[in-house]
């Protein structure tokens, strides 16, 4: 696992079809980070195109409680320290000055219903920069 140096960005690819995307990047407790999906990048929930901020559809309202992170948009980019699901946070297209609450590997995913990753495709390029 790589620890980031202050001011040196690291780039990783987040695949929509993976339940957990390992980044090989170690976030350190108390350190601050910036996350950014630059430019026009999209991934797909079946045939629905989405950027890292995700999407909403009125006809899917009934299923929102089944998403991995129910209060965030469908297909929003979510980060997690480790794979427990207890240290998750919304990244979206840009997250400035995130302070890590524990140390561990950064994992990411598209916010979807756990059993529905089979119909997801596409990937986003995520840039992570340690700020302090």
């Amino acid at each position: 696992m790589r620890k980031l140096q202050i001011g040196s960005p690291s780039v990783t690819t987040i695949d929509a079809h993976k339940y957990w995307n390992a980044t090989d990047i170690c976030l350190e407790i108390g350190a601050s980070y910036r996350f950014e999906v630059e430019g026009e990048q999209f991934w797909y929930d079946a045939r629905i195109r989405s950027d890292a901020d995700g999407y909403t559809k009125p006809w899917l309202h009934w299923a929102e409680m089944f998403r991995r992170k129910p209060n965030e948009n469908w297909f929003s980019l979510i980060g997690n320290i480790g794979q427990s699901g207890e240290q998750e946070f919304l990244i979206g297209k840009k997250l400035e000055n995130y302070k890590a609450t524990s140390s561990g590997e950064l994992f990411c995913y598209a916010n979807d219903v756990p059993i529905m990753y089979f119909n997801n495709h596409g990937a986003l390029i995520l840039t992570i920069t340690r700020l302090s």
Side-chain angles (χ1 to χ4, degrees):
M1 233 181 338
R2 298 177 289 131
K3 292 184 179 181
L4 301 181
Q5 300 300 313
I6 294 174
S8 296
S10 182
V11 176
T12 189
T13 301
I14 311 301
D15 292 317
H17 72 277
K18 289 185 179 178
Y19 192 82
W20 289 113
N21 283 268
T23 66
D24 194 41
I25 295 171
C26 179
L27 300 185
E28 297 180 69
I29 189 169
S32 295
Y33 299 87
R34 177 176 56 242
F35 301 87
E36 187 170 12
V37 176
E38 299 179 53
E40 295 289 313
Q41 296 186 50
F42 302 99
W43 49 9
Y44 295 83
D45 185 0
R47 292 177 292 163
I48 302 170
R49 185 173 89 161
S50 177
D51 63 18
D53 285 337
Y55 69 90
T56 61
K57 295 284 185 191
W59 54 273
L60 283 173
H61 180 70
W62 67 271
E64 291 173 352
M65 68 181 147
F66 300 111
R67 290 184 294 217
R68 290 172 70 183
K69 195 148 176 62
N71 294 327
E72 301 300 344
N73 287 343
W74 293 101
F75 254 59
S76 56
L77 176 58
I78 306 294
N80 196 78
I81 300 172
Q83 294 182 42
S84 69
E86 297 171 7
Q87 298 278 331
E88 58 192 2
F89 55 96
L90 174 66
I91 295 174
K93 288 173 71 173
K94 189 171 189 176
L95 174 60
E96 288 280 354
N97 209 24
Y98 170 78
K99 190 170 187 176
T101 56
S102 64
S103 294
E105 184 173 0
L106 172 68
F107 288 83
C108 297
Y109 62 86
N111 194 27
D112 202 358
V113 174
I115 62 170
M116 295 303 294
Y117 280 79
F118 70 92
N119 70 354
N120 300 346
H121 61 280
L124 303 175
I125 307 296
L126 175 64
T127 302
I128 304 146
T129 306
R130 182 171 174 176
L131 304 174
S132 68

